[in-house]
Amino acid sequence: MATLDETYDPIEGSCSACRFYDPTAFGKANYGHCRRYPPIEVERQTGGLPRGIWPVVGYDDSCGEYRPRPLT
């Protein structure tokens, strides 16, 4: 059984191998934000400033917007 401190190799065609996948906020939890589109506004903060979030996706999720990460 996997634990939250394990990370997996990217899977071709899935979020973990996509150029829009950003796992920074989750550390080694095998989840990330999809940054394909701007964040979704969820509420207004004090002073009327918008607050937005990016969708949270699993490393093995996938969608029709997949683009491979550029080779570094």
Side-chain angles (χ1 to χ4, degrees):
M1 179 175 192
T3 61
L4 289 180
D5 62 349
E6 293 182 68
T7 56
Y8 304 107
D9 292 331
I11 301 169
E12 187 175 344
S14 71
C15 290
S16 61
C18 183
R19 72 180 319 134
F20 305 119
Y21 181 72
D22 179 11
T24 308
F26 296 92
K28 295 184 176 183
N30 294 306
Y31 289 94
H33 286 121
C34 177
R35 299 204 182 229
R36 171 66 179 98
Y37 294 103
I40 301 163
E41 185 178 322
V42 293
E43 62 186 38
R44 295 259 172 194
Q45 297 178 339
T46 305
L49 296 173
R51 180 177 190 287
I53 59 169
W54 282 275
V56 175
V57 296
Y59 78 100
D60 58 349
D61 287 342
S62 63
C63 77
E65 299 288 331
Y66 172 79
R67 299 292 182 274
R69 287 183 186 210
L71 299 174
T72 56

